Amino acid sequence: MVVSILSLLLAVVGLWAASRFWPLPAEQREAMRLLQAPLPTPGANGFSALWTLRHDGLDAVGREAVMAQDAARWRQGTPGQRPQDSSADGRYPTTALSGSASCGRRAVGCLEAVRADPDRFEAAHAGHEALHQRVAAIAGYGHFVSPFAPFDTDPMAPLPALQPVFDPVSAHALAHVRGNSGAALAGACGDILSGRRMAGQGDTLVTSIIGAAMVESNARVLADILVELPADAPVPAVCDAALAPMTPDEQSLCTAMRGEFALAGAGLRLSSGDVEGNRLLLDVPRTQARIAPRYAWACAASAELVAARDAPMPIPGPAQDRFACIANPLGCTLANISGPDMRQYAGRPQDAAAMLRLVAAQRWLRQQPVAVSVALQTLPEALRSPTRTPVLSAEGQWLQVDRRVVVGELGPTLRVPMRAPAR
């Protein structure tokens, strides 16, 4: 009996050891390599500009000083109670944002709303000039990497308040309504460039998705303004850069997914705790490797090709190998918890790129000497994608493509007007 029990115990231990030290699947090893390989950091780091975006009266040196102080406070804080606010709060005034100056989600109907009550929007934007300049200046940075590195015991790193980046949208519409269409076009195009930079170079999904939303919102207002101007009306030079096709790098979520993976790893290490015997049930490095493919798709070479083709991004599902779970049951459970739908994130930069193509196509079509329906047949390749060619709506009012990601009440299509609304 004793021999049988010992034999069974040895078999269990052997099975556990084999599971614990079995080589990782090639897919997981490659995913870890992609997520840990050094990444280029083009240009200057603009995270401090985002962190202090709400505050007036700070120059570049002041922003960096606040950022350094806040990062030091956070690192020195008590786990679970680290300060999430900024030392600039109370020391520097903040731009008060009013709901009455908002054009809502993605600026649908923004120009119409501003035209209906321009005085209200003008009053709401009073004193916001410095904020709008800071939003436009985001385009001058090369990347946005947070100094709030996730700690093993505290993965909840602070995030900047990014709602102010949308404040200028209705101000651009207001400039057009007040007769300063040149400033309106320059402002919207400048903020498109800021959004493009954030979309591809933020180290959190929040930064990237907000950047994509900036592109779409400003592009929508830009299209609404352009259709009210003569087809051959000159546009500021910044609009040529803003409406140039978004590159795969500008649509990439690689930097963002690496940041999210780091946060997920910190959460796993926190989950390991100090419970007696817990390490027998949770292998943090192997659990990280198990979830790595869920993030690494954004850094694979294939992601660039998919973005260039404007095709739906293939997202790996949960790992299926069960042998690894014998020595890591808790880790497998955590890894298999349903997370956010990565397809929803992958499609948003693609929709931003599609919106820019639509606005560029709107300009081109209105300048052709033939009917839009005829000119559409010879639309340049740069203004279409292999998977989404713009079409006219049934009544001919809209140029549109299907959305990759349906967002709330915005409906299943991206569209720009081909005729100015009757007033």
Side-chain angles (χ1 to χ4, degrees):
M1 176 65 72
V2 174
V3 173
S4 298
I5 293 175
L6 288 176
S7 299
L8 179 60
L9 181 61
L10 288 173
V12 169
V13 172
L15 185 62
W16 183 93
S19 173
R20 173 59 62 99
F21 298 107
W22 197 262
L24 292 173
E27 177 191 29
Q28 294 179 15
R29 294 199 304 272
E30 175 62 10
M32 290 295 292
R33 185 190 71 79
L34 289 172
L35 292 169
Q36 294 174 342
L39 271 185
T41 51
N45 187 1
F47 190 87
S48 63
L50 299 182
W51 181 250
T52 60
L53 186 64
R54 298 175 300 122
H55 295 91
D56 294 324
L58 284 165
D59 58 12
V61 174
R63 286 192 291 271
E64 292 299 331
V66 167
M67 185 78 267
Q69 181 176 352
D70 291 347
R73 288 170 60 225
W74 191 77
R75 293 191 190 99
Q76 296 164 7
T78 302
Q81 302 176 22
R82 302 183 197 275
Q84 300 284 320
D85 61 345
S86 173
S87 60
D89 294 343
R91 295 168 54 203
Y92 296 93
T94 58
T95 304
L97 302 183
S98 169
S100 61
S102 173
C103 274
R105 299 190 57 162
R106 300 300 196 279
V108 174
C110 183
L111 190 56
E112 179 183 358
V114 172
R115 180 171 282 123
D117 194 354
D119 291 342
R120 173 170 61 87
F121 280 88
E122 186 163 359
H125 281 300
H128 288 200
E129 293 81 4
L131 169 63
H132 297 173
Q133 291 172 7
R134 293 195 294 273
V135 173
I138 291 171
Y141 293 96
H143 62 283
F144 306 90
V145 175
S146 170
F148 299 113
F151 284 6
D152 288 358
T153 57
D154 206 339
M156 298 304 295
L159 293 172
L162 294 178
Q163 186 61 29
V165 301
F166 297 106
D167 187 67
V169 176
S170 56
H172 304 325
L174 179 64
H176 173 66
V177 169
R178 293 301 198 198
N180 195 351
S181 298
L185 295 174
C189 290
D191 288 354
I192 286 172
L193 291 178
S194 292
R196 289 174 67 149
R197 192 55 52 87
M198 288 173 60
Q201 292 295 336
D203 71 342
T204 66
L205 273 174
V206 170
T207 304
S208 293
I209 298 310
I210 291 295
M214 281 182 70
V215 171
E216 185 178 327
S217 299
N218 283 282
R220 180 167 287 108
V221 169
L222 179 64
D224 289 347
I225 293 173
L226 287 172
V227 81
E228 294 187 355
L229 300 176
D232 59 353
V235 299
V238 66
C239 290
D240 292 330
L243 294 179
M246 283 181 72
T247 66
D249 280 347
E250 289 178 306
Q251 300 176 57
S252 173
L253 291 180
C254 179
T255 303
M257 285 299 178
R258 287 168 62 105
E260 297 296 325
F261 179 69
L263 290 174
L268 287 173
R269 290 188 291 274
L270 181 62
S271 298
S272 65
D274 297 318
V275 180
E276 186 69 25
N278 201 35
R279 297 185 184 279
L280 299 177
L281 304 176
L282 173 60
D283 185 324
V284 171
R286 283 182 170 263
T287 305
Q288 283 186 278
R290 192 174 183 86
I291 66 173
R294 191 181 301 174
Y295 299 86
W297 57 266
C299 300
S302 58
E304 182 174 343
L305 299 175
V306 170
R309 293 180 51 243
D310 187 36
M313 196 70 68
I315 310 295
Q320 298 299 316
D321 55 312
R322 297 183 178 180
F323 182 69
C325 297
I326 295 174
N328 190 26
L330 182 55
C332 287
T333 299
L334 292 172
N336 290 335
I337 291 176
S338 179
D341 186 353
M342 294 298 186
R343 292 170 298 180
Q344 295 290 313
Y345 297 121
R348 295 196 183 191
Q350 291 184 325
D351 280 347
M355 189 67 183
L356 292 184
R357 287 194 298 269
L358 280 177
V359 181
Q362 178 206 50
R363 288 188 65 205
W364 185 87
L365 289 167
R366 294 182 67 231
Q367 293 170 354
Q368 303 312 301
V370 297
V372 171
S373 58
V374 175
L376 194 56
Q377 299 174 22
T378 58
L379 189 68
E381 288 188 10
L383 306 182
R384 66 175 80 219
S385 83
T387 61
R388 291 189 284 185
T389 297
V391 297
L392 283 174
S393 61
E395 74 284 2
Q397 171 67 26
W398 304 97
L399 186 69
Q400 60 192 38
V401 296
D402 290 338
R403 278 186 174 277
R404 188 74 71 219
V405 178
V406 178
V407 183
E409 71 277 11
L410 297 181
T413 59
L414 291 163
R415 63 184 192 175
V416 297
M418 292 307 302
R419 294 193 298 263
R423 296 202 304 272

